[in-house]
Amino acid sequence: RMGELAGVKLRDDGFVDALAIDDGEELRGDLFVDCTGPAARVRSALDTTWDDWRRWLPCDRVLFADAPPAPEPSPLD
C-alpha cells in the first residue's frame, strides 16, 4: 500500500522537489503530474497565480464521468 500525500516540498526556485508521504517517505522526481482532481493538492502548493488561457483554449469546464472499462483490445491493436 502506498501512503497518503502529506505535503509538497518545494525547491528554492518554487518548483516541486518532492512529495512527502504520511509514512515519512519522500518521493523525488523530475516531473510531477497532479491527478488529485479538483483538490489539485500538488498544484495548489505552488502558488495562487492564475493564468487565463481562454484566448487559446475556449473550454472553461471540467467534466467527470464514470464508465465501464473498455473491452480487451485484440492483439493487433
Side-chain angles (χ1 to χ4, degrees):
R1 173 189 175 286
M2 181 85 153
E4 295 292 321
L5 179 65
V8 178
K9 296 196 173 194
L10 302 178
R11 301 184 317 212
D12 291 337
D13 61 5
F15 288 93
V16 176
D17 182 43
L19 301 179
I21 307 302
D22 64 357
D23 64 3
E25 184 180 359
E26 287 186 0
L27 298 175
R28 296 191 183 283
D30 296 319
L31 175 68
F32 295 90
V33 178
D34 190 341
C35 297
T36 60
R41 294 179 61 196
V42 178
R43 168 61 183 98
S44 63
L46 298 177
D47 58 37
T48 58
T49 303
W50 173 260
D51 291 328
D52 189 346
W53 287 22
R54 281 183 284 185
R55 188 168 92 190
W56 302 284
L57 301 172
C59 180
D60 64 353
R61 304 285 189 277
V62 174
L63 300 175
F64 294 94
D66 289 325
E72 195 66 35
S74 72
L76 299 177
D77 285 344

